[in-house]
Amino acid sequence: MHNWGAAGHDQMLSLLKIRNLALVERLDWEIGAGLVGVTGETGAGKSVIVGALKLILGERADKGLIRTGEDTCHVEAIFDLQDPSGVNCLLEEMGLEACEEGQLLIKRVVGSTSNRQFVNNSPATLGVLKAIGGNLVDLHGPHDHQSLLSQDRQLVMLDAYAGVESEVEEYRTCWASWKEVETRRREIRDAEEAGEQEIELLKHQVAEIEAAEIDPEGENELQERYQRAANSAKLVGVAAEALNLVNGDGTGVLDRIQEIQRLVGEIEKNDPAARHWTAGVTTAVVEMEDFSSELERYLGEIDLDPVQTSALEARVDLLESLKRKYGPSLDEVVESGVKAAERLGAVENRGELLETLEREAEVARSAMMKAGMDLTEKRRKAGPKLARDIRQHLAELGFRQAAFEVNQKQHTEPCANGLDGIEFSFGPNPGEPLKPLRQIASSGEISRVMLSIKSALAQQDRTPLMVFDEIDANVGGEVARAVGEKMAILGGVHQVVAITHFPQVAALASQHFLVEKRVEGGRTISSLKEVRGEERVAELTRMLGGQSEEARSMAKSLLTLPKGSA
């Protein structure tokens, strides 16, 4: 588990570059901390920002994203990380360069024929982008709640709220140990008893391989010795003939080259200048004398013993036979012997082994159950507190009498995550039964539930950037301000980007960006600019539905309305 640092503005997206993506030709978006609002008319291109971020997060690319007339589109994101240790640890595991000066660069190039992605300028896979991006960006749209509906994800949320990460790790270690022993125990217990024929075969295999006393590393030397012994007679004849040519009385090469050396000596006495080309003769004499000595030694070592040759041949034949049966290499023959011995031991000592494994499984299960019950108890205490916090946030988002519960259910068998499971249940109306979140059909309801959960877990959630893509789309105007308040509060702990149609939300943003669409040279172009002062008032006025003085006055009041006023 990597430590991605505490939630806060020391980890944030500082720059998003887009080139030729859909309607956006060129965009360099510098983003600040807190709540960042993005607004614009329907169809202006706000979705391009979400699309760009999804590419950074490793989502598969559609060639249709490339701007008409272009061959490629580029998306680049720079994250400023005051504490890059968690990211660097993950990058190191994946063989990528660490962040320099606390900056993480992720780049995606989508082409008509191929796609490329880079992390800190090193080529990376989509899997790498997903692993890194999943820890940096939490993206939510009207229909992006699948992770929230997952019971496994809900359990992770509760554990984060309860602060039991170390207890979860301890339990998982115990569970893995128990699972390993239990699997071996069941395999031995369920295996059919070996027949007499198999036992005899195993005994023969073990005895045959052990008797051979195989040394895989000495195989090459054995082959060389056998080759030499098998050809010993021929080798003796050839070597003797060569030695005679070198040492033959009066006619050998050595005598002749020594005579040449004597004559060359006479030349050197009378013409010292010739020594620069005569030195090689002396060298030749020394080398030929050494060669003669080596030939004599070699002749003396050649063994003409037919019994020894026969023994070497029998050894080679034995090893070749074993390689055909168990090989094809001697290492594999040895491994086959080890496996046969293990199988034979397991078969012959099945009862004893089973008793040992049962004792080990019992000890491992006891340790796992102790860790599991400790974890269960801490979850049981944290569940009602989390539910109470979420209900408070739900009430502030318009669900005045909504019910929310964290239900804990014991597993029939221990699982990797504990002895129990978790499911969040929600009831928006009094008197109606609570339903699991996965059964809630209204995207407006599930959006507010999600925002309530995120708000309750704001301090425990370590994801630096949260993106809310029009999650207020199906929310009534009366709760829009409350939604904005929640996002603004989250913006105090995380960097939050809210793409919204509601002026009540946009007015609370610490930065407000406007997406506009215009036509230049017969081409449609989307652009993004920060609006301040009168420009921001004008945009909020448009969002309020008109250009009347009343709408303008309301826009101004939204910007000055104190937080906490719905």
Side-chain angles (χ1 to χ4, degrees):
M1 183 179 291
H2 302 294
N3 179 16
W4 294 80
H9 293 146
D10 55 349
Q11 319 268 84
M12 57 182 281
L13 173 67
S14 60
L15 178 64
L16 182 67
K17 289 185 178 180
I18 300 175
R19 300 289 185 272
N20 299 318
L21 179 63
L23 296 178
V24 175
E25 182 179 25
R26 180 185 181 90
L27 173 65
D28 292 344
W29 187 24
E30 294 185 34
I31 316 168
L35 174 60
V36 179
V38 179
T39 66
E41 294 183 354
T42 302
K46 298 188 296 299
S47 61
V48 175
I49 293 171
V50 175
L53 285 171
K54 284 183 176 180
L55 289 177
I56 291 298
L57 296 176
E59 192 166 292
R60 293 204 171 274
D62 183 352
K63 296 173 187 175
L65 295 171
I66 303 172
R67 182 171 168 77
T68 305
E70 301 294 335
D71 295 326
T72 59
C73 70
H74 301 240
V75 176
E76 189 174 310
I78 295 178
F79 291 88
D80 285 334
L81 309 172
Q82 188 172 324
D83 178 12
S85 57
V87 173
N88 285 341
C89 188
L90 185 57
L91 292 175
E92 185 180 336
E93 287 178 6
M94 297 178 171
L96 296 171
E97 291 184 17
C99 300
E100 290 186 7
E101 299 180 357
Q103 281 200 332
L104 173 70
L105 170 64
I106 301 178
K107 184 177 181 181
R108 189 84 184 270
V109 181
V110 179
S112 54
T113 56
S114 64
N115 301 327
R116 291 170 295 154
Q117 42 279 332
F118 305 88
V119 174
N120 291 341
N121 294 315
S122 297
T125 64
L126 289 182
V128 170
L129 262 60
K130 286 180 180 178
I132 297 173
N135 287 282
L136 293 173
V137 183
D138 197 353
L139 197 153
H140 296 278
H143 307 292
D144 294 330
H145 304 295
Q146 291 308 309
S147 65
L148 181 66
L149 306 183
S150 159
Q151 292 181 50
D152 287 341
R153 179 61 182 156
Q154 291 170 10
L155 185 61
V156 169
M157 291 176 182
L158 175 63
D159 287 345
Y161 183 84
V164 292
E165 286 89 345
S166 60
E167 287 87 344
V168 170
E169 284 302 310
E170 182 183 353
Y171 169 80
R172 283 178 178 162
T173 301
C174 293
W175 179 84
S177 299
W178 168 73
K179 198 71 176 173
E180 182 182 357
V181 176
E182 181 66 11
T183 299
R184 288 175 57 208
R185 186 187 71 82
R186 288 182 178 178
E187 285 176 353
I188 297 295
R189 185 196 66 190
D190 298 340
E192 293 183 8
E193 290 190 18
E196 194 64 34
Q197 190 173 358
E198 182 189 359
I199 293 175
E200 288 304 313
L201 176 61
L202 288 169
K203 285 181 178 178
H204 169 74
Q205 291 173 344
V206 171
E208 184 177 37
I209 294 173
E210 286 182 350
E213 298 180 345
I214 297 169
D215 175 19
E217 293 182 2
E219 184 179 14
N220 289 336
E221 183 188 347
L222 174 66
Q223 289 287 354
E224 289 173 2
R225 287 174 57 205
Y226 170 64
Q227 198 72 18
R228 190 162 57 246
N231 296 290
S232 57
K234 182 178 180 181
L235 289 172
V236 167
V238 172
E241 186 178 350
L243 187 62
N244 185 54
L245 288 173
V246 173
N247 292 341
D249 188 20
T251 61
V253 172
L254 187 56
D255 284 346
R256 295 191 176 203
I257 200 169
Q258 287 172 339
E259 179 63 20
I260 293 172
Q261 184 184 31
R262 186 185 65 75
L263 295 171
V264 166
E266 292 295 322
I267 295 174
E268 290 175 351
K269 283 181 185 177
N270 295 288
D271 184 7
R275 287 176 181 169
H276 75 277
W277 58 267
T278 60
V281 176
T282 300
T283 302
V285 171
V286 171
E287 289 184 351
M288 192 54 64
E289 287 173 344
D290 288 345
F291 178 63
S292 173
S293 298
E294 286 298 315
L295 265 178
E296 289 177 349
R297 179 193 61 76
Y298 181 71
L299 268 169
E301 288 180 353
I302 296 176
D303 193 350
L304 290 173
D305 182 2
V307 175
Q308 179 67 19
T309 302
S310 178
L312 286 170
E313 183 178 10
R315 179 67 177 170
V316 170
D317 287 346
L318 171 63
L319 295 183
E320 289 301 315
S321 172
L322 291 174
K323 285 198 288 185
R324 285 193 297 272
K325 291 170 71 173
Y326 307 108
S329 70
L330 286 184
D331 284 321
E332 287 169 300
V333 173
V334 172
E335 181 64 21
S336 294
V338 171
K339 288 181 177 178
E342 288 177 351
R343 171 64 179 160
L344 182 60
V347 168
E348 290 182 330
N349 303 300
R350 183 170 173 271
E352 183 180 334
L353 179 60
L354 196 55
E355 285 182 13
T356 301
L357 288 174
E358 283 174 349
R359 285 195 298 271
E360 289 180 8
E362 187 177 340
V363 171
R365 183 181 178 87
S366 177
M368 174 193 64
M369 292 301 292
K370 184 177 182 301
M373 286 188 286
D374 179 46
L375 183 57
T376 293
E377 183 59 27
K378 289 180 178 177
R379 286 170 175 170
R380 184 176 290 117
K381 289 180 179 178
K385 293 179 182 178
L386 175 59
R388 187 165 57 249
D389 283 356
I390 293 172
R391 282 196 297 270
Q392 178 63 38
H393 290 290
L394 284 168
E396 293 167 3
L397 289 175
F399 292 112
R400 303 290 180 191
Q401 296 179 290
F404 189 94
E405 291 182 2
V406 176
N407 300 312
Q408 199 168 3
K409 185 178 180 181
Q410 197 82 8
H411 291 314
T412 53
E413 275 290 316
C415 296
N417 292 325
L419 306 178
D420 47 20
I422 295 296
E423 182 154 59
F424 293 168
S425 294
F426 174 62
N429 303 308
E432 293 184 6
L434 276 69
K435 293 181 180 179
L437 286 189
R438 52 192 161 82
Q439 294 181 13
I440 297 174
S442 167
S443 60
E445 286 183 350
I446 196 66
S447 294
R448 280 185 281 169
V449 172
M450 181 273 296
L451 189 54
S452 297
I453 293 172
K454 286 292 178 183
S455 298
L457 292 163
Q459 295 297 331
Q460 289 81 20
D461 193 335
R462 293 177 177 177
T463 310
L465 172 61
M466 291 184 177
V467 181
F468 297 110
D469 179 20
E470 297 185 0
I471 68 160
D472 51 11
N474 295 301
V475 173
E478 71 279 359
V479 294
R481 177 77 182 186
V483 169
E485 290 276 6
K486 290 297 176 194
M487 290 185 184
I489 293 170
L490 281 173
V493 185
H494 304 266
Q495 183 185 37
V496 178
V497 173
I499 299 168
T500 180
H501 283 294
F502 275 91
Q504 295 94 329
V505 175
L508 289 163
S510 53
Q511 279 185 298
H512 184 169
F513 290 89
L514 171 62
V515 179
E516 293 181 306
K517 186 167 65 175
R518 66 184 188 279
V519 178
E520 286 185 6
R523 297 291 303 279
T524 301
I525 296 175
S526 282
S527 61
L528 182 76
K529 69 173 183 178
E530 185 174 3
V531 288
R532 297 190 181 96
E534 287 302 316
E535 283 187 320
R536 189 173 187 184
V537 172
E539 170 60 7
L540 291 175
T541 302
R542 178 198 67 78
M543 295 174 74
L544 284 164
Q547 298 299 325
S548 66
E549 274 305 313
E550 185 182 358
R552 181 177 173 79
S553 176
M554 190 178 297
K556 286 184 175 181
S557 70
L558 284 175
L559 288 170
T560 57
L561 196 65
K563 289 186 178 182
S565 304

